[in-house]
Amino acid sequence: MICFPNAKINLGLHVVGKRPDGYHNIETVFYPIPLRDALEVVHADKTSFTQSGIRPDIAPEDNLVMKALHVLEEKHTLPPLAVYLKKNIPFGAGLGGGSADAAFMLKLLNTFAKLNIGDGELEETAATVGADCPFFIRDKPALATGTGNVLEPLPLSLRGYMLYIVKPDVHISTREAYSLVEPANPAFPLLEIISRPVTEWKEHLVNDFEKGIFKRCPVIGKIKDELYARGAVYASMSGSGSSVFGLFQAATALHFPGCFVWEGLPE
């Protein structure tokens, strides 16, 4: 059985406070995009994991796909499986590729092994794997608060825009990104900004990670500037980076040598 985990972008991201447990409370809008990995499970004599595509930056046993499998095994009986993952979503990009793979693994196993787990329980299980994982269970535009695990569905659509993703060969760890941010309450509620036309987002919709990360890695800020110079109606870093996305009203020719570049139509 096969499925195709998709990436997400962040439309705005406010770091609003640090929690007693050391994590941070955020406010952001997750939006799914059709940049996809491929994930397959088949019956086997013993459980194994094989990855292809974009070169991994972690050991196979540390992959969130296998963590998701082992978390589900704690409560449910699963048969031995051969797991195959083809990576098309780049690592360290702020696109949620690893979280998507884990969440889709939970959904895939739920169907494959006929476990009949509801979405609510799947979201709770996904939260134990990673903060962004619960979003990908329902995989619909949502306002995310808390650590990113409290989700409120939104009637938001970016259809009609061309989406471009540009990721330089730069990696920013999540820990480093948070160390460069001073938590604060936003000037305007995110839902108020998102309700405005996309053409007005440039002046109001911000990602709090950008200020510190652009100083640390100017190349990321230059990509955002270039997207605007090429006609983007809105551009932003996604998550804690290092990818930057741009929304355009028409297809355009972009050239970013040495960078991962993807274009597609939001669904």
Side-chain angles (χ1 to χ4, degrees), residues 70-77 115 117 121 124-125 128:
H70 295 320
V71 166
L72 208 57
E73 278 184 325
E74 293 175 2
K75 294 183 178 180
H76 303 275
T77 301
L115 301 178
I117 305 172
E121 184 179 343
E124 291 177 3
T125 302
T128 68

Side-chain angles (χ1 to χ4, degrees), residues 232-263:
V233 295
Y234 179 70
S236 174
M237 190 173 72
S238 186
S240 58
S242 60
S243 71
V244 180
F245 67 89
L247 293 170
F248 290 75
Q249 293 179 319
T252 187
L254 297 178
H255 301 285
F256 290 90
C259 294
F260 170 91
V261 179
W262 176 88
E263 64 179 81

Side-chain angles (χ1 to χ4, degrees), residues 17-31:
K18 191 167 184 178
R19 299 157 53 98
D21 59 9
Y23 290 93
H24 289 77
N25 285 323
I26 66 169
E27 179 186 53
T28 188
V29 170
F30 290 139
Y31 195 94

Side-chain angles (χ1 to χ4, degrees), residues 95-235:
L95 298 173
S99 296
D101 294 338
F104 273 74
M105 183 62 162
L106 294 175
K107 294 191 288 186
L108 186 62
L109 293 173
N110 188 33
T111 301
F112 186 83
K114 300 179 180 179
L115 301 178
N116 298 314
I117 305 172
D119 285 347
E121 184 179 343
L122 282 176
E123 286 178 339
E124 291 177 3
T125 302
T128 68
V129 180
D132 289 352
C133 291
F135 163 71
F136 291 101
I137 297 298
R138 300 179 199 265
D139 206 28
K140 303 289 185 182
L143 173 71
T145 54
T147 60
N149 62 324
V150 181
L151 302 168
E152 177 185 336
L154 293 178
L156 178 66
S157 175
L158 296 177
R159 288 184 179 180
Y161 288 95
M162 283 293 301
L163 173 66
Y164 290 84
I165 303 286
V166 182
K167 182 194 177 296
D169 188 18
V170 173
H171 177 74
I172 304 292
S173 72
T174 302
R175 182 183 295 273
E176 180 182 11
Y178 274 106
S179 73
L180 301 173
V181 174
E182 186 67 36
N185 290 320
F188 299 97
L190 189 53
L191 285 182
E192 177 184 321
I193 300 170
I194 287 291
S195 68
R196 300 180 183 188
V198 176
T199 51
E200 296 182 15
W201 287 0
K202 181 179 179 180
E203 302 302 323
H204 304 285
L205 191 61
V206 301
N207 180 336
D208 285 349
F209 286 120
E210 287 187 349
K211 184 177 179 180
I213 288 178
F214 287 0
K215 287 182 180 179
R216 183 69 56 90
C217 297
V219 63
I220 304 174
K222 290 179 180 178
I223 290 172
K224 179 179 177 178
D225 291 341
E226 182 64 18
L227 289 172
Y228 274 129
R230 294 298 183 93
V233 295
Y234 179 70

